[in-house]
Amino acid sequence: MDNATWVQDLAAALAAVKTELAQLGHDLDVIKLSDITYETGIPEGVIRKLFAGKRVAAEMIDLPFKERLDFVVRTRVKGDGTPYTMTEIAASVGASKATISSLLSGTRNPGFEVSKKLTEFFRVDPGFFSVRGDKALLRALEPAMRQARLLASLKGQNVELLALRGSLAGGSPQLAEELQEVLEQVVAKAQAASKLASEDDPELRELTDTVRALPDRKRRRVMTTLRTFVGME
């Protein structure tokens, strides 16, 4: 697929995302685009232009390796807030400082093993250095869209709406997505259970058994969130 084709496809996909958000009662600001930039390396200004339907060059979306590497070097820093040195980066991937310098300048491309080790060292998504920009962007947007759909499904169900920037959107993206998957299952069963006339109904018992069967930490997270939904906390 040539650049023009996938850029057009991306524009159409983002237009659909924007339309769906509007139908769910939200605008684009409900998504923290700075987080999307952090996950993909695509500048926030570029993402906003795409959502606005403006023309954006393919190379501004599908960044070359050197720009992706420069981005993680600037944004994935040590615990004290200082960036990793060239020596530390080189040691982490078993390469020389000259090799890292060449990668950052774009005079050479990484081999598979070096790219894999850089991914592990900087703790970025496995496809950060290789996945095409449009695919990375849509993948990064999907968790927020799932949250928007979940919130929309809860309207009118006698529960409190949870802001997208709240507990589901914060912390570890992996845990947030895991929690959301569980919540979607539990909420769906809870909505069905709310229609039952008796607590002795077998479907309600099934919901209770499902929650009880969760691992302790996951069950506590689910119960805390559900209590928030129903106004108990």
Side-chain angles (χ1 to χ4, degrees), residues 39 76 119 123-129 131 139:
E39 291 183 42
R76 273 63 170 182
T119 296
R123 300 178 185 177
V124 293
D125 185 272
F128 184 88
F129 292 113
V131 172
R139 184 166 63 186

Side-chain angles (χ1 to χ4, degrees), residues 39 143 147 167-180 221:
E39 291 183 42
Q147 290 168 354
S167 63
L168 286 181
S172 164
Q174 181 177 344
L175 289 178
E177 187 164 355
E178 178 184 341
L179 174 59
Q180 183 156 322
R221 293 199 302 269

